[in-house]
Amino acid sequence: MGLNEKTVHDILSLYQQGEATPTQVVADLYQSIEAKEQSLNAFVKLLPQDEVAQQAETAPDGPLKGIPIAIKDLISTQGVGTTAGSQILKDFVPIYDATVIQRLKAAGAVVQAKTNLDEYGMGSSNENSSFGPVRNPHNPDYVAGGSSGGSAAAVAAHEALASLGTDTGGSVRQPAAFCGVVGLKPTYGRVSRYGQIAYASSLDQIGPITKNVRDAALIMNVIAGHDPLDTTSLNVETEDYLDGLENGIEGVRIGIPAEYQQGLNDEAKACMQQWQVNFEKLGATFVEVSLPHTSYALSAYYLISCSEASANLARFDGVRYTTRVSDKSLNDMFSETRDQCFGEEVKRRIMLGTYALSSGYYDAFYKKAQQVRALITKDFNDAFEQVDLLLGPTSPTPAFKLGEKTDDPVNMYLSDVYTVSINLAGVPAISIPGGQVDGMPFGLQLIGDHLQESKILRAAHAFEQSS
Ligand code: GLN
């Protein structure tokens, strides 16, 4: 087994025992990259091997000392190009690090690569990247999921030990599910968004993608916490997420929402039954719950996210950031730059969002969507009065074939049906490997109440150990 196939936790122990060096770990990672990356396309940018090794060898002391990490290319890295998967930012080099990057570096981690993604995080299959799609390491004919497809594929293919993604409506959890790895979306405001290129600011949240649950806890210990530079950052003490990870889940009450059992084939249903059996063996009890407004979540999500995106993306105009197409007149420059440099999906969403926000339609669309959002949040509040955790699939299906849904955006949006409500409510959730459906990995999702990451991690860890 190459060092690249180990978890972050195991590598740290090997370092401590003097049985591995960062240079050796980096060498094994790059060997695997050499062999697989041409087919996978998980990276937009890979930093030179000797540079990463050298930085890892001389990294400051901290809980992630000498660990290389791959970063979704929607997160700003000082001096390292950050594209958002878009041609409009293809030459953009940030002059500062996002808060999460600062924290990782201070903990001894090193930026290894910038990972491929759907442009601005808009997608569920990573086919909306202007740098080409990411392929699934389990089968190259299948998508890696999106929008953090590169981050998930890189970890699953052992091209990276761990990575960061961003999750606006499922983009950490769904690609993690499709690639058979672990992805955690923290509570809204738990991890700073400062330096993350905004897609939909009221929904966006950065989270780790890792090989196991312990590594997710390890990375959360570094990136979580209050940040005065992010006005939506929660000013609440962080916990040690490794503390109590082994404590088990005796007596924990889990609910399977009735609404999260639709659109599943027989194999997926069998997986869910098996999950329940496993959790019961671990001492959990099951309670019937309902999230009655689930069927409105996708419509509300796509209205709100597109509206916020239309405002957030107004800044990419040919003036402020690198690429400029025409300088005939101010208006031509704006419109030609945006027309030629944004992809089809980004343009579709900007148009949808500006329409939903325009006077005359605002009340019927945007305001209505916000009211539905409040009802969805209430569904979760009510459910968490009865249970500690909610359980369901991360996505109704496993990874699908490349090209299978590209001509049918609405069908594509349906793959987010079990993830978007969580972002609308701002609660945390994790996706962990939950078996196979149609020969591909199938993700199990555990959802907790606000700031209950520890509880989620403990249950996920217990399940992982038992399976
Ligand atoms: N697939 C969803 C979308 O396209 C979620 C994306 C995300 O979480 N960034 O909006």
Side-chain angles (χ1 to χ4, degrees):
M1 187 194 211
L3 291 166
N4 58 313
E5 292 174 47
K6 297 193 175 296
T7 63
V8 172
H9 175 261
D10 288 348
I11 293 291
L12 289 168
S13 320
L14 290 175
Y15 285 166
Q16 227 161 23
Q17 294 153 13
E19 285 171 15
T21 64
T23 304
Q24 292 167 337
V25 171
V26 173
D28 283 4
L29 285 167
Y30 279 68
Q31 208 178 348
S32 149
I33 293 167
E34 177 87 37
K36 298 175 187 163
E37 178 55 14
Q38 213 178 350
S39 139
L40 285 186
N41 197 27
F43 299 139
V44 173
K45 186 184 185 81
L46 176 66
L47 281 102
Q49 179 178 342
D50 47 353
E51 200 177 294
V52 175
Q54 208 256 333
Q55 282 179 17
E57 289 289 352
T58 55
D61 276 335
L64 294 174
K65 184 178 167 63
I67 299 293
I69 293 195
I71 308 292
K72 185 178 188 178
D73 210 18
L74 197 62
I75 300 175
S76 301
T77 41
Q78 185 177 10
V80 177
T82 300
T83 65
S86 184
Q87 287 304 305
I88 220 166
L89 289 177
K90 68 181 189 329
D91 301 314
F92 172 59
V93 181
I95 53 168
Y96 65 88
D97 275 328
T99 296
V100 288
I101 302 298
Q102 274 179 19
R103 287 182 184 230
L104 284 173
K105 286 182 177 172
V110 174
V111 175
Q112 174 200 339
K114 298 305 290 291
T115 61
N116 203 347
L117 68 157
D118 287 300
E119 191 172 358
Y120 290 99
M122 298 178 183
S124 312
S125 67
N126 220 121
E127 294 168 291
N128 296 336
S129 166
S130 78
F131 299 98
V134 177
R135 290 174 184 272
N136 193 305
H138 295 270
N139 184 335
D141 295 334
Y142 285 70
V143 302
S147 64
S148 312
S151 288
V155 173
H158 305 294
E159 293 190 342
L161 297 175
S163 62
L164 288 188
T166 67
D167 192 312
T168 307
S171 280
V172 161
R173 291 160 286 154
Q174 186 255 33
F178 281 15
C179 293
V181 291
V182 171
L184 174 73
K185 187 210 82 88
T187 305
Y188 183 75
R190 180 67 300 179
V191 173
S192 170
R193 292 183 295 112
Y194 181 72
Q196 185 217 302
I197 298 172
Y199 159 19
S201 313
S202 78
L203 301 158
D204 296 341
Q205 191 62 189
I206 295 171
I209 297 182
T210 54
K211 291 180 192 170
N212 70 3
V213 176
R214 184 182 295 279
D215 281 2
L218 203 58
I219 292 177
M220 277 299 284
N221 274 356
V222 171
I223 62 172
H226 180 239
D227 178 10
L229 297 173
D230 171 359
T231 51
T232 59
S233 169
L234 292 171
N235 196 350
V236 180
E237 280 287 303
T238 48
E239 301 164 59
D240 181 346
Y241 296 105
L242 290 167
D243 213 25
L245 195 64
E246 311 271 357
N247 285 0
I249 52 162
E250 189 67 50
V252 167
R253 296 160 306 161
I254 301 180
I256 299 182
E259 297 78 8
Y260 281 35
Q261 302 175 54
Q262 283 149 19
L264 306 176
N265 71 14
D266 289 344
E267 253 187 297
K269 284 183 197 150
C271 269
M272 281 192 67
Q273 276 157 8
Q274 192 54 47
W275 300 343
Q276 182 165 351
V277 171
N278 283 15
F279 277 116
E280 274 168 348
K281 276 195 202 146
L282 292 165
T285 54
F286 277 80
V287 181
E288 260 179 55
V289 289
S290 167
L291 298 170
H293 296 93
T294 299
S295 59
Y296 306 109
L298 272 179
S299 314
Y301 169 80
Y302 276 96
L303 275 167
I304 293 169
S305 64
C306 291
S307 300
E308 291 183 14
S310 72
N312 276 327
L313 270 57
R315 66 182 67 133
F316 303 106
D317 55 5
V319 180
R320 297 176 178 85
Y321 299 92
T322 63
T323 315
R324 172 180 298 178
V325 167
S326 152
D327 46 18
K328 273 183 274 168
S329 72
L330 193 63
N331 273 338
D332 286 342
M333 179 189 68
F334 287 162
S335 59
E336 284 179 36
T337 301
R338 289 166 69 81
D339 184 37
Q340 289 180 37
C341 300
F342 280 146
E344 287 307 306
E345 183 63 23
V346 173
K347 285 190 267 188
R348 173 165 30 240
R349 294 192 189 198
I350 291 174
M351 283 191 283
L352 251 168
T354 31
Y355 182 80
L357 289 177
S358 56
S359 68
Y361 295 104
Y362 180 92
D363 284 352
F365 292 112
Y366 186 72
K367 192 171 158 207
K368 198 55 139 203
Q370 290 291 13
Q371 288 166 335
V372 171
R373 182 179 192 169
L375 292 173
I376 287 170
T377 308
K378 187 176 177 301
D379 282 356
F380 282 97
N381 290 343
D382 292 347
F384 288 122
E385 292 200 345
Q386 300 171 60
V387 296
D388 299 293
L389 295 168
L390 295 167
L391 169 69
T394 307
S395 181
T397 67
F400 41 86
K401 284 205 166 133
L402 278 146
E404 195 180 313
K405 301 191 181 185
T406 34
D407 294 334
D408 187 355
V410 174
N411 190 11
M412 183 77 90
Y413 298 166
L414 282 174
S415 35
D416 306 327
V417 63
Y418 296 137
T419 47
V420 296
S421 309
I422 284 92
N423 300 71
L424 288 169
V427 293
I430 198 168
S431 177
I432 60 173
Q436 292 218 329
V437 168
D438 303 331
M440 293 296 279
F442 191 59
L444 173 164
Q445 181 171 227
L446 279 167
I447 308 158
D449 203 354
H450 290 101
L451 295 172
Q452 296 299 310
E453 280 83 356
S454 285
K455 212 183 261 180
I456 294 178
L457 289 163
R458 201 181 325 134
H461 178 75
F463 181 91
E464 185 182 71
Q465 297 299 303
S466 77
S467 54

